Amino acid sequence: MTLSLNKLHFPVTTLGYGRRVGIWFQGCSIRCPGCVSRDTWELDPAKGIELEALLEQLQPWLAEADGVTISGGEPFDQPEALEALCRALKQQISGDLLIYSGYPSAKLTQDYISLLDLCDVLISEPYQAQTPQTRWLRGSDNQRLHLLTPLALARYGEEADGKAWPARRSLDVIEADGNLWLAGIPAPGMLAQLEQALDRRGHALSHRSDQAA
């Protein structure tokens, strides 16, 4: 089983409960206007990885992690690989499994119910750049937070769907292979401000790799 992978990181603290393993799939057929993860859109054969090799790479992190967040790209564009990965992860983690998708929840519950049975938290619906962004863990307020298991309810709370972002938004700043990238969901205008600040210091923001849907 091969999947197309954009990147991995641990720990990620901005995309769910606690210190998490972040897994970003490569390839997205939805391509929401205004998405800040455009580097994850195109399928790239060079980014294919065998599931067993991926699990081996994740192994040192899983024992320490509070959970796993899977994003992209669009994870459900690779449903067989996503389900195989989730089944393997659920055998190895005690924490929650959170998946981001730009597909409507009606499509996901119709087409991928066996996959959703492996998921604790689902955030669904396409990102809408013109929609306000005030709700926790979402890039736009039309997106829906589904708490699917008792663990999800215990960690995220029944009131989580209406929970607002904290007044001070945070992003994870990650260094890998000599590059810096961001993980998290930026507030509106945050990346433009960062780009301007870098430009004043003689640096360029070459591409944006943070999660927004």
Side-chain angles (χ1 to χ4, degrees), residues 135-138 145 147 152 156-164:
R135 302 168 76 187
W136 186 45
L137 293 177
R138 278 147 289 188
L145 175 65
L147 304 181
Y156 294 83
E158 294 185 24
E159 76 285 356
D161 195 51
K163 184 176 178 180

Side-chain angles (χ1 to χ4, degrees), residues 107-167:
K107 174 179 174 61
L108 297 173
T109 54
Q110 175 178 306
D111 295 345
Y112 304 114
I113 190 65
S114 63
L115 207 165
L116 294 183
D117 285 343
L118 301 168
C119 177
D120 296 286
V121 183
L122 170 70
I123 298 178
S124 67
E125 317 304 320
Y127 170 67
Q128 295 178 354
Q130 304 307 315
T131 298
Q133 186 210 68
T134 64
R135 302 168 76 187
W136 186 45
L137 293 177
R138 278 147 289 188
S140 57
D141 285 356
N142 64 294
Q143 294 179 318
R144 299 179 60 189
L145 175 65
H146 309 265
L147 304 181
L148 304 177
T149 65
L151 176 60
L153 287 169
R155 286 191 162 186
Y156 294 83
E158 294 185 24
E159 76 285 356
D161 195 51
K163 184 176 178 180
W165 281 106

Side-chain angles (χ1 to χ4, degrees), residues 1-5 25 45 47-56 75-89 115 118:
M1 178 70 68
T2 302
L3 59 87
S4 188
L5 183 73
F25 276 49
K47 294 189 175 183
I49 184 171
E50 292 295 322
L51 177 60
E52 290 302 319
L54 172 58
L55 291 170
E56 183 177 351
F76 285 86
D77 281 352
Q78 302 178 59
E80 294 85 4
L82 177 61
E83 183 165 346
L85 173 62
C86 290
R87 288 192 183 282
L89 289 173
L115 207 165
L118 301 168

